[in-house]
Amino acid sequence: MKVLIVEDDPLHRSYLHEAVNAALPECDTVIEAENGTVGEKLARDHKSAHIVMDLQMANRNGIEAARTIWKERPETRILFWSNYSDEAYVRGVSRIVPDGAAYGYVLKSASDERLKLALRSIFIESQCVIDREVRGLQQKSLGQTNGFTDSEYEILVDIALGLTDRAIAKRRGLSLRSVQNRLQQLYDKLDVYQSAGDDHEDGRFNLRARAVTVAFLRKLLNYSALERAEAELQEWLDGK
Amino acid sequence: MKVLIVEDDPLHRSYLHEAVNAALPECDTVIEAENGTVGEKLARDHKSAHIVMDLQMANRNGIEAARTIWKERPETRILFWSNYSDEAYVRGVSRIVPDGAAYGYVLKSASDERLKLALRSIFIESQCVIDREVRGLQQKSLGQTNGFTDSEYEILVDIALGLTDRAIAKRRGLSLRSVQNRLQQLYDKLDVYQSAGDDHEDGRFNLRARAVTVAFLRKLLNYSALERAEAELQEWLDGK
DNA sequence: CAACAAATTGCGGGTTTACGCAAGACGGCG
DNA sequence: CGCCGTCTTGCGTAAACCCGCAATTTGTTG
């Protein structure tokens, strides 16, 4: 059995290495990659079916790497080991996991025990292991209660990218007015009004920009999500 | 001699601990804090004049902690040890360092040697040590060449927060038109036009929102900067 | 002090946003 | 099939935004 570790940080990498050795005596080879790009390549070369990966990496982040890896071999088992449980990450991950694939999401703050348990559950028992905290977000995010629908999230991303209403309409195949409707819906949910027109016509916000900021502060968006969205946008622009 | 370590990540913390022991035999006590809040408290209690600190911490980030520490004791020597050299961080740090204070900025990717050297230079020799890469940003940022003026940066932050032109004018004591002038200046420098009105009146951007995104992608802004700016904004709003 | 560049402000107008109102369109469900 | 809620669309308006033009103010330099 082979395990591939994809992780930026040398200290974390060697910690993972030890954890894998300790948790999986049946594992005879451990390979290391220091960023997403190398990770993809090694996964391909070694046809390794067992991967532990960080999400936030400078060169190519975990979500992108996982996507291409899963595209090539959907049965690959991946354990995401991340510092953060931003909704943006959680949403990003659940968007790309193939049907029926075994995967995991464990926070770096988890104990050694938890990590080792997760390693065994996923790689040996093929079970999904999602950190409690992450799980909470996931439900809130996918279920409609208090969370954001896909269409709301979509518009959020579009205005975050800086598209005009018209451009969004064109991109998503909607009328101008529909786009604006969804925007209002978004503004509602993000509570952009609250602090806004409070009393005087004094300290009012620009709703569009404010929405993006609020989403950022709430971790609904983060750098990595923006980066991916920007790449998709460029693709779309090129494709006409 | 006492050294205080302020760092989120347990692995990095113990690595730092060892590095301090190795580089500074004259250091007899090492104290550890796992976030900015605790860091401030320990710095106060121990009157420790030598601090190694991470910038990105969940609870209270390094810049905020450093600011209050330096406010209380400006002669404190602080070595920032960070993963990133985002312009937002560099700018944030140089904004708060007291006149003549000895401080350092070393990237986590630096070698053990570099870290140890920096520790000795700052804590023993009272010399500033700024990582080469960071230094580059600093010059570009402070010198006007290709970089952003303070006023440009200020407006950038203001629109990122989601303020309207009018609100910005009020906050900064400017006329509406001046605010808009600065905005145009900002749009220019950020190259927001380039990808914008390219050819058809087709895929146009909302300049205001686009500017923020571009700034984010260029690391001119980051989460921590936004967070700080938002706090300042709230303060201002309360203060009327 | 004169001279000149940079920043501030006002005016005016073309666009884009935000959003109420109301008429379809689509999708279950009894 | 008819009822009803959600989504989409069009029309219209007030406000906000982007920005060219031009008069001032401010700051700097010889």
Side-chain angles (χ1 to χ4, degrees):
Chain A
M1 178 176 176
K2 267 187 299 197
V3 172
L4 168 61
I5 293 174
V6 188
E7 159 74 69
D8 269 295
D9 185 312
L11 292 177
H12 289 182
R13 205 158 56 228
S14 70
Y15 169 77
L16 267 187
H17 197 134
E18 276 181 49
V20 167
N21 280 340
L24 299 167
E26 49 273 88
C27 164
D28 48 63
T29 332
V30 177
I31 319 158
E32 298 186 1
E34 71 277 12
N35 64 50
T37 314
V38 177
E40 287 175 21
K41 182 169 170 11
L42 289 183
R44 195 160 24 238
D45 292 351
H46 290 267
K47 299 192 201 309
S48 63
H50 307 90
I51 302 180
V52 190
M53 180 152 66
D54 191 9
L55 280 177
Q56 173 174 298
M57 292 179 293
N59 189 316
R60 182 165 171 79
N61 71 55
I63 294 189
E64 313 223 333
R67 187 164 50 188
T68 76
I69 290 173
W70 266 331
K71 200 168 289 172
E72 296 175 9
R73 229 167 301 102
E75 74 284 5
T76 310
R77 290 171 200 164
I78 305 183
L79 171 58
F80 297 102
W81 190 57
S82 166
N83 254 315
Y84 311 99
S85 57
D86 296 1
E87 186 161 341
Y89 278 135
V90 175
R91 199 179 275 271
V93 169
S94 27
R95 191 185 298 283
I96 59 164
V97 37
D99 289 341
Y103 81 103
Y105 194 134
V106 175
L107 295 177
K108 288 193 180 178
S109 56
S111 65
D112 295 11
E113 255 342 286
R114 273 254 275 293
L115 174 58
K116 286 176 190 164
L117 225 86
L119 284 169
R120 290 203 70 81
S121 302
I122 295 166
F123 293 161
I124 309 287
E125 311 290 344
S126 304
Q127 282 199 308
C128 285
V129 178
I130 315 292
D131 221 309
R132 169 169 247 82
E133 191 181 333
V134 175
R135 187 85 196 126
L137 275 184
Q138 206 173 46
Q139 309 214 301
K140 203 177 66 184
S141 147
L142 296 185
Q144 60 278 43
T145 327
N146 187 9
F148 292 75
T149 8
D150 284 340
S151 61
E152 283 157 359
Y153 188 73
E154 212 175 53
I155 294 217
L156 170 59
V157 171
D158 284 340
I159 60 171
L161 286 173
L163 295 172
T164 59
D165 291 2
R166 195 187 329 287
I168 299 177
K170 203 156 297 183
R171 183 175 188 199
R172 305 299 183 186
L174 291 172
S175 74
L176 226 190
R177 190 59 180 87
S178 294
V179 171
Q180 297 173 330
N181 266 344
R182 292 191 179 184
L183 277 176
Q184 282 179 254
Q185 209 174 322
L186 180 70
Y187 297 156
D188 262 346
K189 285 219 186 164
L190 283 175
D191 231 21
V192 184
Y193 300 105
Q194 155 236 331
S195 38
D198 215 84
D199 33 14
H200 330 56
E201 76 292 340
D202 202 62
R204 202 176 247 79
F205 282 111
N206 174 318
L207 298 180
R208 178 177 285 246
R210 184 65 181 165
V212 176
T213 307
V214 170
F216 243 102
L217 291 174
R218 290 205 197 160
K219 315 283 182 82
L220 246 163
L221 284 178
N222 60 17
Y223 181 83
S224 135
L226 246 196
E227 204 179 18
R228 270 175 291 137
E230 174 73 13
E232 280 172 28
L233 172 62
Q234 289 305 333
E235 226 171 275
W236 179 73
L237 284 177
D238 293 344
K240 205 198 193 169
Chain B
M1 176 176 178
K2 265 186 303 196
V3 172
L4 168 61
I5 293 174
V6 188
E7 161 71 67
D8 262 302
D9 186 312
L11 293 176
H12 289 181
R13 205 158 57 228
S14 70
Y15 169 77
L16 267 188
H17 197 134
E18 275 181 47
V20 167
N21 281 339
L24 300 166
E26 49 273 87
C27 165
D28 47 62
T29 332
V30 177
I31 319 160
E32 298 187 2
E34 72 277 12
N35 65 52
T37 313
V38 176
E40 287 176 20
K41 182 170 171 10
L42 290 182
R44 193 156 31 233
D45 292 351
H46 289 268
K47 298 193 201 312
S48 63
H50 307 90
I51 302 181
V52 189
M53 181 152 66
D54 190 9
L55 280 177
Q56 172 174 295
M57 292 179 293
N59 190 315
R60 183 165 171 79
N61 71 53
I63 294 189
E64 314 223 331
R67 184 163 52 187
T68 77
I69 290 172
W70 266 331
K71 199 167 291 169
E72 297 175 10
R73 228 168 301 102
E75 74 284 4
T76 309
R77 291 170 199 164
I78 305 184
L79 170 58
F80 297 101
W81 188 57
S82 166
N83 254 315
Y84 311 99
S85 58
D86 296 0
E87 186 160 344
Y89 278 135
V90 176
R91 197 179 277 270
V93 168
S94 27
R95 191 185 296 284
I96 60 163
V97 39
D99 290 340
Y103 80 104
Y105 195 134
V106 175
L107 294 178
K108 288 192 179 179
S109 56
S111 65
D112 295 11
E113 254 344 284
R114 273 254 275 293
L115 173 59
K116 287 176 189 164
L117 225 87
L119 284 168
R120 288 203 71 79
S121 303
I122 296 166
F123 293 159
I124 309 288
E125 311 291 346
S126 304
Q127 282 200 310
C128 284
V129 178
I130 315 291
D131 222 309
R132 169 170 246 82
E133 190 182 335
V134 175
R135 186 86 194 126
L137 275 184
Q138 206 172 46
Q139 309 214 302
K140 205 179 62 180
S141 147
L142 297 185
Q144 59 277 42
T145 327
N146 186 9
F148 292 75
T149 8
D150 284 339
S151 60
E152 284 157 357
Y153 187 73
E154 212 174 53
I155 287 227
L156 170 60
V157 171
D158 284 340
I159 59 170
L161 286 172
L163 295 172
T164 60
D165 291 2
R166 188 179 343 278
I168 300 177
K170 202 155 297 182
R171 184 176 188 195
R172 304 298 182 188
L174 291 172
S175 75
L176 228 188
R177 191 58 179 90
S178 294
V179 170
Q180 297 174 331
N181 266 345
R182 292 195 180 182
L183 277 177
Q184 281 179 252
Q185 209 174 320
L186 180 71
Y187 297 156
D188 263 346
K189 285 221 186 163
L190 282 175
D191 230 21
V192 185
Y193 300 105
Q194 155 236 335
S195 38
D198 215 86
D199 31 15
H200 330 58
E201 76 292 337
D202 203 62
R204 202 175 247 79
F205 282 110
N206 174 319
L207 299 180
R208 177 177 285 245
R210 185 65 182 166
V212 175
T213 307
V214 170
F216 244 101
L217 292 174
R218 289 207 198 157
K219 313 283 183 83
L220 244 163
L221 283 178
N222 61 15
Y223 181 84
S224 136
L226 246 195
E227 202 180 18
R228 269 175 291 136
E230 173 73 14
E232 279 172 28
L233 172 62
Q234 288 306 330
E235 226 171 273
W236 178 73
L237 284 178
D238 294 343
K240 200 191 195 179

